[in-house]
Amino acid sequence: MIIKPKVRGFICTNAHPKGCAAHVNQQIEYMKVQGPIDGAAKKVLVIGCSTGYGLASRIAATFGSGADTLGVCFEKPPTERKTASAGYYNTAAFHQAAKDAGVYCETINGDAFSNECKTQTIDMIKADLGKVDLVVYSLASPRRTDPTTGVTHNSTLKPVGQSYTAKNLNTDTLKISDITLEPANEEEIANTVKVMGGEDWELWMQALADADVLADGAKTVAYTYLGEKLTWPIYGHATIGKAKEDLDRAASAIIEQHNGLSVQANVAVLKAVVTQASSAIPIMPLYISLMAKVMKEEGSHEDCIEQAYRLFTECLYNESPRLDDGNRFRVDDKELRPETQAKIEALWPQVTEENLFELTDFKGYNENFLRLFGFGLDGVDYEEDVSPLVDVELK
Ligand code: NAD
């Protein structure tokens, strides 16, 4: 079939197998150019390994330090008539590249929140890796079924305390208008914490420790975004921010619970980037478009792979990691430079539908968004008749 993007609102419902492979290979090439990362993990579990920050972390581990990786993701396989989800094609491409490099990789395609998935992962670690020395927790999900109660919790993206009105860009129609988001109630906040907070990270670490598959001194990291004034009302101080605060609690709990193994647990604060998860958050597309404009002009623009590389070299495997007073790794340092934020804040009120393409990097945002699904990659013939089926065995 000839595969062209089918964008509906803030999602693209199909993906291009060759384009996704090209996108993965670009990130692998970036890592190869950087050269080896000293002292990094050799056996890595990546939970949420198929897109965005998790995929970039997996690439950094394998192509930065030759690490064997076991990944967990939740992706849709292809059929004869329908393409797979992008993460499925990304994983197929990663498997091919790791195999070509002679490095172990396996991926479990299942619900990371379930007990079954944890058991299957542990069985595979025992059989293939022995123990893991790094666990990356990079899930972004709108819902979670609690494995104990069987109740499914849905997260919400709402302000906390009071309603919030702000400028919002509809990325489909390119219309800019004010949206008002009503504040979340207590139940919505609690549900969001249940989905995106630290409970499942703790359950993973407990299960891995109980099964004796965590190496002595193993590290674990979970990802968060803090942002600044412009995004606080919808992120940092909103339902998702409350969930992310719970990661800080979980990091301390993990250190305490597994101090016999000297486990090092940190939350890593990463910059805003275009991913499937962030494009669903109101206000973020406009903020990211403005931020990219400013950071590209400053020469400090970064995407997932550059962030993953700096997380490994400047924080995870660095003798003096950049930590804040909450024991969090800070890789959002360039985005949050006061000069950078001041420029974004000055531009924010000036943006209109008419000057969107001059004042912001919306063109780059849109290209970046399409690349997530394998569209717009150099060297890919999008007129070619390609099969949606790819050759990869996910567990
Ligand atoms: P993403 O949507 O690109 O990736 C999500 C990953 O989670 C995918 O691999 C997906 O398959 C997996 N997943 C989702 N539900 C699952 C389930 N039930 N079982 C197994 N796997 C499942 O998202 P992302 O933007 O890379 O986000 C990853 C983390 O990084 C999140 O914690 C997010 O809050 C954080 N973060 C994102 C940004 C940003 O701007 N995108 C910034 C800072 C931190």
Side-chain angles (χ1 to χ4, degrees):
M1 62 173 76
I2 313 280
I3 307 172
K4 301 277 168 166
K6 284 189 201 153
V7 178
R8 308 263 179 279
F10 54 76
I11 50 168
C12 180
T13 59
N14 63 348
H16 197 287
K18 292 194 175 179
C20 287
H23 191 212
V24 169
N25 287 325
Q26 269 184 1
Q27 297 182 64
I28 292 174
E29 279 315 306
Y30 173 85
M31 278 312 303
K32 286 184 177 166
V33 170
Q34 308 312 309
I37 301 173
D38 286 341
K42 292 289 177 209
K43 308 228 179 264
V44 179
L45 171 63
V46 183
I47 304 160
C49 66
S50 54
T51 55
Y53 275 131
L55 172 64
S57 308
R58 189 177 200 185
I59 292 172
T62 288
F63 294 93
S65 67
D68 296 337
T69 64
L70 175 57
V72 179
C73 62
F74 203 43
E75 299 295 343
K76 198 163 51 74
T79 65
E80 295 274 350
R81 302 176 53 186
K82 240 180 147 220
T83 74
S85 55
Y88 191 92
Y89 290 140
N90 290 342
T91 305
F94 178 83
H95 274 229
Q96 186 59 53
K99 193 170 152 208
D100 292 347
V103 186
Y104 170 94
C105 85
E106 289 289 353
T107 302
I108 294 169
N109 193 21
D111 179 9
F113 297 125
S114 70
N115 290 336
E116 294 74 21
C117 184
K118 292 181 175 75
T119 305
Q120 190 186 358
T121 304
I122 286 164
D123 290 346
M124 283 188 71
I125 297 174
K126 280 186 179 161
D128 298 348
L129 299 174
K131 295 188 181 203
V132 289
D133 48 10
L134 172 65
V135 179
V136 173
Y137 190 84
S138 184
L139 289 185
S141 172
R143 69 190 64 82
R144 167 175 173 229
T145 300
D146 185 312
T148 313
T149 62
V151 174
T152 300
H153 301 268
N154 290 296
S155 64
T156 32
L157 293 163
K158 287 189 177 180
V160 167
Q162 60 201 46
S163 66
Y164 174 60
T165 301
K167 194 180 249 187
N168 185 51
L169 167 68
N170 180 323
T171 50
D172 229 4
T173 60
L174 303 193
K175 295 265 175 256
I176 294 179
S177 54
D178 277 356
I179 52 161
T180 298
L181 299 161
E182 293 306 324
N185 60 35
E186 288 305 318
E187 195 186 346
E188 288 171 319
I189 297 171
N191 277 327
T192 309
V193 174
K194 195 82 183 164
V195 180
M196 289 295 285
E199 187 178 78
D200 184 59
W201 183 26
E202 284 181 274
L203 289 175
W204 267 102
M205 295 309 292
Q206 191 63 53
L208 296 167
D210 288 348
D212 196 22
V213 294
L214 274 184
D216 218 14
K219 295 175 193 253
T220 184
V221 67
Y223 298 153
T224 194
Y225 178 69
L226 289 181
E228 253 285 346
K229 273 196 228 71
L230 282 172
T231 55
W232 279 343
I234 185 59
Y235 202 104
H237 297 168
T239 45
I240 180 78
K242 292 282 164 210
K244 294 296 189 180
E245 275 170 24
D246 189 58
L247 289 178
D248 295 329
R249 177 204 57 75
S252 305
I254 290 168
I255 293 170
E256 208 174 299
Q257 279 151 19
H258 309 295
N259 73 348
L261 279 173
S262 308
V263 169
Q264 181 192 311
N266 296 87
V267 171
V269 191
L270 304 178
K271 78 179 275 281
V273 289
V274 187
T275 66
Q276 295 184 42
S278 67
S279 48
I281 304 176
I283 313 204
M284 284 312 268
L286 186 53
Y287 171 78
I288 292 177
S289 303
L290 267 175
M291 177 198 67
K293 171 87 173 173
V294 170
M295 292 184 77
K296 280 180 183 173
E297 279 170 9
E298 288 178 345
S300 60
H301 174 73
E302 293 177 312
D303 210 336
C304 293
I305 194 65
E306 290 86 355
Q307 282 274 291
Y309 177 68
R310 288 211 295 127
L311 169 67
F312 275 57
T313 53
E314 296 175 11
C315 297
L316 269 170
Y317 301 102
N318 191 298
E319 280 175 13
S320 9
R322 192 170 38 253
L323 285 165
D324 64 15
D325 53 13
N327 202 36
R328 293 177 291 224
F329 292 139
R330 298 307 293 251
V331 201
D332 60 342
D333 48 328
K334 295 182 183 174
E335 175 185 346
L336 293 198
R337 283 173 55 217
E339 312 87 276
T340 306
Q341 284 299 313
K343 286 183 211 162
I344 302 170
E345 274 174 41
L347 287 169
W348 183 265
Q350 300 175 39
V351 181
T352 62
E353 284 162 21
E354 290 70 38
N355 64 22
L356 179 67
F357 286 86
E358 289 115 71
L359 281 199
T360 84
D361 184 36
F362 181 69
K363 181 173 175 288
Y365 177 93
N366 204 32
E367 288 166 356
N368 210 333
F369 176 78
L370 289 172
R371 268 201 305 278
L372 300 177
F373 304 91
F375 298 106
L377 273 294
D378 286 343
V380 177
D381 178 2
Y382 290 98
E383 302 307 323
E384 189 193 355
D385 193 349
V386 290
S387 168
L389 304 176
V390 293
D391 194 18
V392 65
E393 193 197 337
L394 305 190
K395 304 289 178 188

